[in-house]
Amino acid sequence: MQIYEVVRARIESGKYPPHYLISEVRVEGEFGVARVTIRKVTAKLRETASSSVTTLGMGSFVSPRTRTRPTSGPNRRSEVSAISATHP
């Protein structure tokens, strides 16, 4: 299992509650990887799941309202296009 999947599962299960600091040092030590790898993980969490928020100089925290994007089905853009096409 990739680090991203482990961290995301912890967020979704509530093990990492809202406002929880995703410590680069702690995760780096737990998985034995470089800090740059952890930064990639937090970036992916921000981009794919809106699960974390990064504040410059403070760190990455679990978002207060974690939203996971569907992995299948129509995306928001296609839904808006479909609505626009039926309502001129």
Side-chain angles (χ1 to χ4, degrees):
M1 184 177 272
Q2 293 183 353
I3 298 168
Y4 164 79
E5 293 167 344
V6 171
V7 173
R8 185 167 176 188
R10 290 175 183 177
I11 291 170
E12 291 175 355
S13 74
K15 183 173 182 177
Y16 289 177
H19 307 288
Y20 179 84
L21 173 64
I22 302 171
S23 168
E24 290 179 356
V25 173
R26 186 173 43 236
V27 177
E28 178 183 16
E30 179 180 348
F31 293 98
V33 295
R35 191 163 300 177
V36 69
T37 302
I38 304 309
R39 289 182 180 153
K40 289 178 183 178
V41 168
T42 55
K44 187 173 180 181
L45 286 167
R46 282 191 310 276
E47 294 167 6
T48 62
S50 300
S51 297
S52 72
V53 176
T54 300
T55 304
L56 187 61
M58 296 193 66
S60 295
F61 299 84
V62 175
S63 294
R65 295 182 62 202
T66 300
R67 296 178 299 127
T68 55
R69 295 182 184 164
T71 55
S72 63
N75 63 32
R76 182 74 179 138
R77 181 169 286 158
S78 66
E79 290 172 7
V80 170
S81 297
I83 292 169
S84 298
T86 58
H87 293 69

